[in-house]
Amino acid sequence: MAEVAAAYEEARHDPEFFAEYSRLLRDVVGRPSPLTPLDRLSEDLGGARIVLKREDLNHTGAHKINHTLGEALLARRMGKRTLIAETGAGQHGVALATAAALMGLECEIHMGAIDVAKQYLNVVRMRLLGTRVVAVERGGRSLKEAVDSAFERYAAEPERYFFAIGSVVGPHPFPTMVRDFQTVVGRESRAQFTSRYGALPDAVIASVGGGSNAMGAFTAYLDDEDVRLIGVEPAGRGEAVGEHAMTMGQGTDGVLHGMATKVLQDAAGEPLPVHSIASGLDYPGVGPQHVRLAQLGRVEYVAEGDEAVLDAFGRLSRLEGIIPALESAHALAHAIRLAPTLPSTQRLLVNLSGRGDKDIDHVAATIDLAGDADEVVS
Ligand SMILES: *Cc1c(COP(=O)(O)O)cnc(C)c1O
């Protein structure tokens, strides 16, 4: 990690490194991503107007490609041959596999055997992209075992592998580095908002799992005291242990995955089971930068539950023609709650971190859409 930190420290002061990164964001990711004002939804709600930052329109459909491209660039600069990581639902794995293919690096993704079966489509995507998918058949055969397995490989051969963490979590320099790669989201939205409305948003709202899309959305506004910054955690199905993943709301000081942060943990310091309808948010830790921003009182942390999230998912689909990721629908659900309580002169900027294609099966099963047409003719 010290070697990675030194390499990143050198790279971040090299204008050519960030120039190449910016070229990739433009040519591969398709940046800048647009702002979309939600006129129909806002009129329906009354009150403040909601505007989306469209990270769902990025290549591969979410914000994660912003930091996996940066990590792959650094790995190549360090002379590493292989990117390695674990993945749960497969979103980080696909974004990393994409970056590896683009940059001519090998990629190895460890996944719990249960997740390999559940996330068939993402497994196929990764393999099509030339990535080696390793199914981990031990213990609970899930994300935790995948982390251990990937890390063992990495520790055995650190000169070959670059361990690419998927959020603003883990040991230094990852929270700093992943944050830096994601700040493009806030810098773009700040410039776009100013040129379109001649003003900054009254609030910026983003979902918080590990916290990378939120750090990306918030960082450019930290010095703008009049802009409220709101992070939205998953309240899941209720307050009981295992029913939510509200680390900022209910976690205590601890150590997880090489970082001192807030953790949902038992008395012995073991991480507790968590739940969210959004698989990208069910993490018992959170990036340490969020803990600091809460201490400073700069960012408010709130939570929205599965039911409000499904409602937001449905409303955005029907009223605006946009099917959001369930993670992003947490941020939208909070904007939907807030808008009617605020004057119509205010504008709420919601970071739509990803698109919902990956969630269609799950939502269909939950709201009982699967298999049935609305009408049958013969
Ligand atoms: C992974 C993911 C998240 C959660 O990760 P953060 O690091 O908290 O941003 C949010 N939205 C989408 C679409 C994701 O894929």
Side-chain angles (χ1 to χ4, degrees):
M1 287 301 157
E3 186 201 350
V4 180
Y8 181 59
E9 192 53 30
E10 192 208 356
R12 80 195 291 204
H13 292 109
D14 178 357
E16 186 41 43
F17 180 78
F18 271 94
E20 182 165 12
Y21 176 62
S22 298
R23 275 197 299 279
L24 290 171
L25 291 181
R26 183 194 62 200
D27 298 345
V28 177
V29 181
R31 305 204 72 92
S33 65
L35 290 186
T36 302
L38 301 183
D39 291 335
R40 273 167 49 76
L41 179 63
S42 300
E43 250 133 65
D44 198 47
L45 293 169
R49 314 291 294 190
I50 303 175
V51 180
L52 297 183
K53 176 64 171 163
R54 299 293 304 279
E55 292 302 292
D56 61 313
L57 294 179
N58 294 342
H59 177 46
T60 68
H63 70 289
K64 286 190 172 76
I65 190 77
N66 298 328
H67 64 244
T68 56
L69 281 176
E71 290 177 324
L73 265 184
L74 184 65
R76 196 175 66 181
R77 183 185 173 98
M78 292 174 72
K80 305 292 182 190
R81 203 165 79 233
T82 310
L83 300 175
I84 187 167
E86 76 286 347
T87 194
Q91 297 303 111
H92 176 53
V94 171
L96 197 64
T98 303
L102 179 73
M103 255 165 265
L105 295 167
E106 296 170 354
C107 186
E108 185 177 310
I109 299 293
H110 292 235
M111 244 177 135
I114 291 178
D115 293 329
V116 170
K118 252 185 8 199
Q119 308 293 339
Y120 170 75
L121 222 53
N122 276 339
V123 171
V124 174
R125 282 196 183 102
M126 287 186 270
R127 298 182 69 194
L128 282 173
L129 291 162
T131 279
R132 180 180 176 80
V133 176
V134 179
V136 181
E137 285 278 8
R138 55 163 107 140
R141 302 156 78 226
S142 187
L143 183 63
K144 183 180 173 299
E145 290 76 25
V147 176
D148 293 345
S149 169
F151 205 82
E152 279 165 23
R153 270 293 156 86
Y154 170 59
E157 239 183 308
E159 50 302 310
R160 169 180 170 190
Y161 288 112
F162 183 95
F163 196 89
I165 294 178
S167 187
V168 286
V169 300
H172 181 71
F174 282 93
T176 305
M177 180 164 76
V178 172
R179 189 260 330 264
D180 291 351
F181 291 136
Q182 288 293 347
T183 53
V184 63
V185 176
R187 279 188 280 111
E188 270 178 16
S189 76
R190 202 174 185 287
Q192 290 167 319
F193 226 89
T194 311
S195 79
R196 180 188 287 239
Y197 299 111
L200 294 175
D202 293 280
V204 181
I205 307 174
S207 64
V208 176
S212 66
N213 88 86
M215 283 310 296
F218 295 163
T219 299
Y221 298 94
L222 287 179
D223 294 332
D224 303 309
E225 283 170 22
D226 294 339
V227 180
R228 284 175 73 184
L229 302 176
I230 305 174
V232 187
E233 295 196 295
R237 294 179 294 230
E239 297 260 314
V241 167
E243 297 294 305
H244 65 85
M246 299 184 284
T247 312
M248 290 299 299
Q250 305 209 349
T252 50
D253 292 347
V255 171
L256 180 69
H257 295 152
M259 58 178 167
T261 186
K262 281 201 184 301
V263 184
L264 288 168
Q265 58 190 338
D266 64 16
E270 281 298 308
L272 290 168
V274 285
H275 162 81
S276 167
I277 192 171
S279 56
L281 301 182
D282 60 358
Y283 181 59
V286 65
Q289 292 149 340
H290 287 286
V291 179
R292 182 66 181 147
L293 288 169
Q295 279 170 355
L296 293 171
R298 182 62 192 95
V299 181
E300 305 158 49
Y301 293 87
V302 299
E304 294 290 346
D306 292 354
E307 217 167 292
V309 167
L310 277 173
D311 177 64
F313 181 97
R315 287 204 216 197
L316 190 68
S317 304
R318 286 191 305 274
L319 288 173
E320 300 286 350
I322 300 168
I323 300 177
L326 285 169
E327 291 82 359
S328 324
H330 281 73
L332 183 68
H334 194 67
I336 288 173
R337 188 182 302 284
L338 222 48
T341 70
L342 297 170
S344 60
T345 48
Q346 291 211 2
R347 297 184 192 91
L348 308 178
L349 176 61
V350 170
N351 194 29
L352 200 78
S353 52
R355 66 180 181 220
D357 305 44
K358 69 185 179 58
D359 298 316
I360 298 289
D361 283 349
H362 188 74
V363 170
T366 311
I367 63 176
D368 202 20
L369 263 183
D372 294 315
D374 291 306
E375 184 184 342
V376 179
V377 294
S378 54

